[in-house]
Coordinates of all heavy atoms in Angstrom, one line a residue:
F1555 N 47.6 -63.1 28.5 CA 48.9 -63.8 28.3 C 49.8 -62.9 27.5 O 51.0 -62.8 27.8 CB 48.7 -65.1 27.5 CG 47.9 -66.1 28.3 CD1 46.5 -66.4 27.9 CD2 48.6 -66.9 29.2 CE1 45.9 -67.4 28.7 CE2 47.9 -67.9 29.9 CZ 46.5 -68.2 29.6
V1556 N 49.3 -62.2 26.5 CA 50.1 -61.3 25.7 C 50.6 -60.2 26.6 O 51.8 -59.7 26.5 CB 49.3 -60.8 24.5 CG1 50.1 -59.7 23.7 CG2 49.0 -61.9 23.5
H1557 N 49.7 -59.7 27.3 CA 50.0 -58.5 28.2 C 51.1 -59.0 29.3 O 52.0 -58.3 29.5 CB 48.7 -58.1 29.0 CG 48.8 -56.9 29.8 ND1 47.9 -56.5 30.7 CD2 49.9 -56.0 30.0 CE1 48.2 -55.4 31.3 NE2 49.5 -55.1 31.0
A1558 N 50.9 -60.2 29.8 CA 52.0 -60.7 30.8 C 53.2 -60.8 30.1 O 54.3 -60.4 30.7 CB 51.5 -62.0 31.3
A1559 N 53.3 -61.3 28.9 CA 54.5 -61.4 28.2 C 55.2 -60.1 28.0 O 56.5 -60.0 28.3 CB 54.4 -62.1 26.8
E1560 N 54.5 -59.0 27.7 CA 55.1 -57.7 27.6 C 55.6 -57.2 28.9 O 56.7 -56.6 29.0 CB 54.1 -56.7 27.0 CG 54.3 -55.2 27.2 CD 55.6 -54.6 26.7 OE1 56.3 -55.3 25.9 OE2 55.8 -53.5 27.2
V1561 N 54.8 -57.4 30.0 CA 55.2 -56.9 31.3 C 56.5 -57.6 31.7 O 57.4 -56.9 32.3 CB 54.1 -57.1 32.3 CG1 54.5 -56.9 33.7 CG2 52.9 -56.2 32.0
M1562 N 56.6 -58.9 31.4 CA 57.8 -59.6 31.9 C 59.0 -59.3 31.2 O 60.1 -59.2 31.7 CB 57.5 -61.1 31.8 CG 56.4 -61.6 32.8 SD 56.7 -61.2 34.5 CE 57.9 -62.6 34.8
M1563 N 58.8 -59.0 29.9 CA 59.9 -58.6 29.0 C 60.4 -57.3 29.4 O 61.7 -57.0 29.4 CB 59.5 -58.7 27.5 CG 59.4 -60.1 26.9 SD 60.9 -61.0 26.9 CE 61.8 -60.2 25.5
K1564 N 59.5 -56.4 29.7 CA 60.0 -55.1 30.2 C 60.7 -55.2 31.4 O 61.8 -54.5 31.7 CB 58.7 -54.1 30.4 CG 59.1 -52.7 30.9 CD 58.0 -51.8 30.9 CE 58.5 -50.3 31.1 NZ 59.1 -50.2 32.4
L1565 N 60.3 -56.0 32.4 CA 61.0 -56.3 33.6 C 62.4 -56.8 33.3 O 63.4 -56.3 34.0 CB 60.2 -57.2 34.5 CG 60.9 -57.6 35.9 CD1 61.2 -56.3 36.7 CD2 60.1 -58.6 36.7
I1566 N 62.6 -57.7 32.4 CA 63.8 -58.3 32.1 C 64.8 -57.1 31.6 O 65.9 -57.0 32.0 CB 63.8 -59.4 31.0 CG1 63.1 -60.6 31.5 CG2 65.2 -59.7 30.4 CD1 62.9 -61.7 30.6
A1567 N 64.2 -56.2 30.7 CA 65.0 -55.0 30.3 C 65.3 -54.2 31.4 O 66.5 -53.7 31.5 CB 64.2 -54.3 29.2
D1568 N 64.4 -53.9 32.3 CA 64.7 -53.0 33.4 C 65.7 -53.5 34.3 O 66.6 -52.9 34.8 CB 63.3 -52.8 34.3 CG 62.4 -51.9 33.5 OD1 62.6 -51.3 32.5 OD2 61.1 -51.8 34.0
V1569 N 65.6 -54.8 34.5 CA 66.7 -55.5 35.4 C 68.0 -55.3 34.8 O 69.0 -55.0 35.4 CB 66.3 -57.0 35.6 CG1 67.6 -57.8 36.1 CG2 65.1 -57.2 36.5
K1570 N 68.1 -55.6 33.5 CA 69.4 -55.4 32.8 C 70.0 -53.9 32.9 O 71.1 -53.7 33.3 CB 69.3 -55.8 31.3 CG 70.6 -55.8 30.6 CD 70.5 -56.3 29.2 CE 71.7 -56.1 28.4 NZ 71.5 -56.3 26.9
A1571 N 69.0 -53.0 32.7 CA 69.4 -51.6 32.7 C 69.8 -51.1 34.2 O 70.8 -50.4 34.4 CB 68.2 -50.6 32.3
E1572 N 69.1 -51.6 35.2 CA 69.4 -51.2 36.5 C 70.5 -52.0 37.2 O 71.2 -51.4 38.1 CB 68.1 -51.3 37.4 CG 67.3 -50.0 37.5 CD 66.3 -50.0 38.6 OE1 66.7 -50.4 39.8 OE2 65.2 -49.7 38.3
T1573 N 70.7 -53.2 36.9 CA 71.6 -54.0 37.6 C 72.6 -54.7 36.8 O 73.6 -55.2 37.3 CB 70.9 -55.2 38.4 OG1 70.4 -56.2 37.4 CG2 69.7 -54.7 39.2
G1574 N 72.5 -54.7 35.4 CA 73.4 -55.4 34.5 C 73.2 -56.9 34.5 O 73.8 -57.6 33.7
I1575 N 72.3 -57.4 35.3 CA 72.0 -58.8 35.3 C 71.2 -59.2 34.0 O 70.2 -58.6 33.7 CB 71.2 -59.2 36.5 CG1 72.1 -59.0 37.8 CG2 70.7 -60.8 36.5 CD1 71.3 -59.2 39.1
V1576 N 71.6 -60.3 33.3 CA 71.0 -60.7 32.1 C 70.1 -61.9 32.6 O 70.7 -62.9 33.0 CB 72.0 -61.1 31.0 CG1 71.2 -61.7 29.8 CG2 72.7 -59.8 30.6
I1577 N 68.8 -61.7 32.4 CA 67.8 -62.8 32.7 C 67.7 -63.6 31.3 O 67.2 -63.0 30.4 CB 66.6 -62.3 33.1 CG1 66.6 -61.5 34.4 CG2 65.5 -63.4 33.3 CD1 67.0 -62.2 35.7
S1578 N 68.1 -64.9 31.3 CA 68.0 -65.5 30.0 C 66.9 -66.5 29.9 O 66.7 -67.2 28.9 CB 69.3 -66.3 29.8 OG 69.6 -67.1 31.0
E1579 N 66.0 -66.7 30.9 CA 64.9 -67.7 30.8 C 63.6 -66.9 31.3 O 63.7 -66.2 32.4 CB 65.2 -68.9 31.7 CG 66.5 -69.6 31.2 CD 66.8 -70.9 32.0 OE1 66.0 -71.4 32.7 OE2 68.0 -71.3 31.9
L1580 N 62.6 -67.2 30.6 CA 61.3 -66.6 31.0 C 60.2 -67.7 31.0 O 59.9 -68.2 29.9 CB 60.9 -65.4 30.1 CG 59.6 -64.8 30.2 CD1 59.4 -64.2 31.6 CD2 59.3 -63.6 29.2
D1581 N 59.6 -67.9 32.2 CA 58.5 -68.8 32.3 C 57.3 -68.1 32.4 O 57.0 -67.4 33.4 CB 58.9 -69.7 33.6 CG 57.9 -70.8 33.8 OD1 56.8 -70.8 33.3 OD2 58.2 -71.7 34.6
L1582 N 56.5 -68.4 31.4 CA 55.2 -67.6 31.3 C 54.0 -68.3 31.9 O 52.8 -67.9 31.8 CB 54.9 -67.2 29.9 CG 55.9 -66.1 29.2 CD1 55.8 -66.1 27.8 CD2 55.7 -64.8 30.0
G1583 N 54.2 -69.5 32.6 CA 53.1 -70.2 33.3 C 52.1 -71.0 32.4 O 52.4 -71.1 31.2
G1584 N 51.1 -71.4 33.1 CA 50.1 -72.1 32.4 C 48.8 -71.4 32.5 O 48.8 -70.2 32.5
G1585 N 47.7 -72.1 32.5 CA 46.4 -71.4 32.7 C 45.5 -71.5 31.5 O 44.4 -70.8 31.5
F1586 N 45.8 -72.2 30.4 CA 45.0 -72.2 29.3 C 43.7 -72.9 29.5 O 43.7 -74.0 30.1 CB 45.8 -73.0 28.1 CG 47.3 -72.5 28.1 CD1 48.3 -73.3 28.5 CD2 47.6 -71.2 27.6 CE1 49.6 -72.9 28.5 CE2 48.9 -70.8 27.6 CZ 49.9 -71.6 28.0
G1587 N 42.6 -72.3 29.1 CA 41.3 -72.9 29.3 C 40.9 -74.0 28.5 O 41.4 -74.2 27.4
I1588 N 40.1 -75.0 29.1 CA 39.6 -76.1 28.4 C 38.1 -76.2 28.4 O 37.5 -75.4 29.1 CB 40.2 -77.4 28.9 CG1 39.8 -77.7 30.4 CG2 41.7 -77.5 28.8 CD1 40.1 -79.0 30.9

Side-chain angles (χ1 to χ4, degrees):
F1555 291 102
V1556 174
H1557 186 188
E1560 156 60 13
V1561 168
M1562 295 300 285
M1563 287 296 286
K1564 180 171 187 304
L1565 178 59
I1566 291 177
D1568 290 348
V1569 165
K1570 190 177 171 195
E1572 266 197 50
T1573 70
I1575 296 173
V1576 175
I1577 301 288
S1578 56
E1579 301 178 20
L1580 175 58
D1581 183 342
L1582 293 169
F1586 315 107
I1588 62 169

